[in-house]
C-alpha cells in the first residue's frame, strides 16, 4: 500500500479508502453485505494496508448498522484505534431509533450533536478523524453548522471536517464563512468523481484545487461501468450481469451509461490492455494520479477478491500519454 497526506491536513491515509455504504443495506429484500461479509471485507482491507474507512450514520437498514458493524469489528479484532482513520457523516433523516422526528435531519446544532453522540457510541470510539456534512442544508445557516462543527473539533471529538456533494458556490460560501468568522473549515471533500463523470463536478473540483482540499470521490468506477463488466447492445442499451447495479437500478443507464462514459471506457480498456491490468485498476490509478489535488478514491468492493483487484491499482504506473488519453475521452465534446 502507498500512503499520502490528506490534502492540507496533517493526517496520513492509504491511497485507497474503503467504503462501507453496502453494510446492512437492503436492496430488493436482499442484504447487499451482511455482518459476516462485512467483517471479511474489513479484515481484507486491514491486511492490504488500507487504514482509511468511510461510513455514515445513515448507512444500513436500519440506519447506523454500518457504523455498528465497524465498531463491533474493531472490538472483536482488538486493533489499535490509532492505526485507523475513520470518517462518518451527518445530514439525512436518521431512522436508527424509529420513525425520524422533526429534528432528526439537517445540519442544525441539535441534530449534529445528537448524531455525533450516536455515531461515536456505535463505532465504540471517543473521536472521529473526519466528519463530513453529507449534503448542504438550505434551512440552516451555514454559520450555525460551522460553529457546531468547530465546537466538536475544539472539544477533540472530531479532528477534521469534510463536505460531500453540493454546488461549487455552496462549498465556496462555507469556506468564506469559516475564514471570515474564524471557524474550522472543510479540508476534505467527497463528490462523485470518476473518469466517466465530468460536467457536473468541474467547478466543484476547481474550488478543491484552488483551496488545497483533498478529494475522496465516491463511485470512482462509475457504478461499475468502468470495471468493463457491462456490454452495450446494438440498440444502445446496457447488458448488465445479474445482481449488478445495472440490473437493479432503473436509473443506471441514464446516470452512468452516457455516450461519453462509453468513450471513456474504451480509452480505459485500451490502457488496461497495454498495462496487462484491469479497467477498474486503471480507472482508480487515473484518480490517484490527479495532480491538482490529493485524490483518495473510496472503493466499495463487495468481495475480498474485488478488493484485492482494486488494491492492484497501487502497483500501476500510467505514463503521460495514457493519462491524457483517458482525460481526452472524458472532456471531448464532439
Amino acid at each position: 500500500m502507498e500512503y499520502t497526506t490528506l490534502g492540507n491536513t496533517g493526517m496520513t491515509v492509504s491511497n485507497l479508502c474503503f467504503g462501507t455504504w453496502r453494510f446492512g443495506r437492503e436492496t430488493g429484500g436482499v442484504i447487499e453485505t451482511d455482518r459476516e461479509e462485512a467483517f471479511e471485507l474489513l479484515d481484507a482491507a486491514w491486511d492490504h494496508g488500507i487504514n482509511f474507512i468511510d461510513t455514515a450514520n445513515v448507512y444500513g437498514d436500519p440506519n447506523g448498522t454500518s457504523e455498528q458493524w465497524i465498531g463491533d469489528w474493531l472490538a472483536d479484532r482488538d486493533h489499535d484505534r490509532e492505526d485507523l482513520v475513520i470518517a462518518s457523516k451527518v445530514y439525512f433523516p436518521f431512522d436508527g431509533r424509529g420513525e425520524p422526528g422533526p429534528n432528526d435531519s439537517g445540519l442544525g446544532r441539535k441534530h449534529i450533536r445528537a448524531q455525533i453522540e450516536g455515531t461515536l457510541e456505535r463505532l465504540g470510539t471517543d473521536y472521529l478523524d473526519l466528519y463530513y456534512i453529507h449534503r448542504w442544508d438550505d434551512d440552516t445557516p451555514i454559520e450555525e453548522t460551522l460553529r457546531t462543527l468547530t465546537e466538536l473539533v475544539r472539544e477533540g471529538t472530531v479532528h477534521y471536517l469534510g463536505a460531500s456533494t453540493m454546488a461549487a458556490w455552496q462549498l465556496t460560501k462555507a469556506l468564506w464563512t469559516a475564514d471570515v468568522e474564524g471557524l474550522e473549515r472543510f479540508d476534505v471533500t467527497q463528490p462523485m468523481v470518476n473518469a466517466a463523470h465530468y460536467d457536473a463536478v468541474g467547478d466543484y473540483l476547481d474550488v478543491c484545487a484552488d483551496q488545497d482540499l483533498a478529494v475522496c470521490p465516491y463511485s470512482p468506477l462509475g457504478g461499475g461501468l468502468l470495471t468493463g463488466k457491462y456490454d452495450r447492445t446494438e440498440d444502445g442499451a446496457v447488458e448488465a450481469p445479474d445482481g449488478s447495479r445495472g440490473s437493479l437500478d432503473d436509473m443506471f443507464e441514464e446516470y452512468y451509461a452516457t455516450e461519453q462514459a462509453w468513450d471513456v471506457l474504451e480509452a480505459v480498456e485500451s490502457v488496461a490492455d497495454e498495462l496487462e491490468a484491469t479497467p477498474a485498476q486503471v480507472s482508480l490509478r487515473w484518480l490517484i494520479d490527479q495532480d491538482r489535488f490529493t485524490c483518495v478514491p473510496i472503493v466499495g468492493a463487495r468481495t475480498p477478491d474485488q478488493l484485492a483487484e482494486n488494491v492492484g491499482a497501487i502497483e500501476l504506473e500510467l505514463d503521460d500519454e495514457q493519462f491524457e488519453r483517458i482525460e481526452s475521452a472524458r472532456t471531448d465534446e464532439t
Side-chain angles (χ1 to χ4, degrees), residues 301-323:
R302 301 181 74 166
T303 67
D305 285 345
Q306 286 182 354
L307 184 58
E309 178 191 354
N310 292 164
V311 171
I314 301 301
E315 300 174 4
L316 294 187
E317 291 185 15
L318 305 186
D319 63 30
D320 290 345
E321 187 279 329
Q322 291 166 332
F323 185 92

Side-chain angles (χ1 to χ4, degrees), residues 168-181:
W169 72 264
Q170 292 167 331
L171 178 58
T172 302
K173 179 178 180 179
L175 295 170
W176 178 85
T177 301
D179 291 344
V180 169
E181 300 294 335

Side-chain angles (χ1 to χ4, degrees), residues 46-306:
W46 175 271
D47 290 342
H48 285 298
I50 295 176
N51 73 338
F52 193 7
I53 298 174
D54 181 85
T55 187
N57 64 330
V58 292
Y59 289 173
D61 296 305
N63 295 162
T65 299
S66 174
E67 292 177 329
Q68 185 66 58
W69 289 356
I70 294 168
D72 292 346
W73 173 79
L74 279 168
D76 186 74
R77 299 301 191 259
D78 198 29
H79 294 313
D80 192 325
R81 171 68 180 87
E82 292 304 313
D83 290 333
L84 290 163
V85 173
I86 301 177
S88 194
K89 310 177 189 73
V90 62
Y91 168 74
F92 286 113
F94 180 82
D95 69 9
R97 59 185 185 87
E99 185 69 22
N103 287 300
D104 285 334
S105 65
L107 297 175
R109 178 174 281 105
K110 182 176 178 63
H111 185 236
I112 291 174
R113 282 287 183 177
Q115 290 307 308
I116 189 63
E117 183 176 327
T119 285
L120 295 178
E121 181 178 354
R122 288 186 291 274
L123 288 169
T125 182
D126 57 5
Y127 71 94
L128 273 183
D129 297 289
L130 176 59
Y131 202 30
Y132 291 99
I133 60 169
H134 215 157
R135 292 294 186 271
W136 182 268
D137 184 355
D138 288 321
D139 297 323
T140 302
I142 188 58
E143 183 177 346
E144 176 180 336
T145 299
L146 289 172
R147 285 197 183 281
T148 306
L149 294 173
T150 295
E151 292 167 3
L152 297 181
V153 172
R154 295 177 182 175
E155 291 165 7
T157 304
V158 171
H159 287 163
Y160 297 101
L161 304 179
S164 187
T165 301
M166 63 184 64
W169 72 264
Q170 292 167 331
L171 178 58
T172 302
K173 179 178 180 179
L175 295 170
W176 178 85
T177 301
D179 291 344
V180 169
E181 300 294 335
L183 303 173
E184 297 290 330
R185 69 193 330 250
F186 298 126
D187 288 305
V188 186
T189 61
Q190 190 179 126
M192 189 179 89
V193 182
N194 55 69
H197 186 71
Y198 179 69
D199 294 338
V201 293
D203 291 343
Y204 185 102
L205 295 180
D206 287 341
V207 176
C208 295
D210 180 72
Q211 294 295 304
D212 196 19
L213 307 182
V215 177
C216 296
Y218 69 91
S219 197
L221 298 177
L225 185 77
L226 293 176
T227 65
K229 67 183 178 184
Y230 295 101
D231 293 317
R232 197 178 194 185
T233 63
E234 291 184 1
D235 62 359
V238 176
E239 186 175 328
D242 291 341
S244 66
R245 186 180 302 183
S247 68
L248 298 172
D249 189 345
D250 293 336
M251 298 295 292
F252 183 87
E253 291 189 35
E254 178 182 346
Y255 202 55
Y256 292 106
T258 64
E259 194 70 33
Q260 184 183 57
W262 289 113
D263 290 342
V264 170
L265 177 59
E266 183 178 349
V268 166
E269 289 179 327
S270 71
V271 174
D273 287 341
E274 293 167 6
L275 296 176
E276 298 183 347
T278 67
Q281 291 169 340
V282 170
S283 299
L284 292 171
R285 188 74 236 186
W286 183 85
L287 285 169
I288 294 168
D289 285 347
Q290 296 296 308
D291 61 3
R292 295 200 302 151
F293 41 74
T294 305
C295 189
V296 180
I298 301 172
V299 294
R302 301 181 74 166
T303 67
D305 285 345
Q306 286 182 354

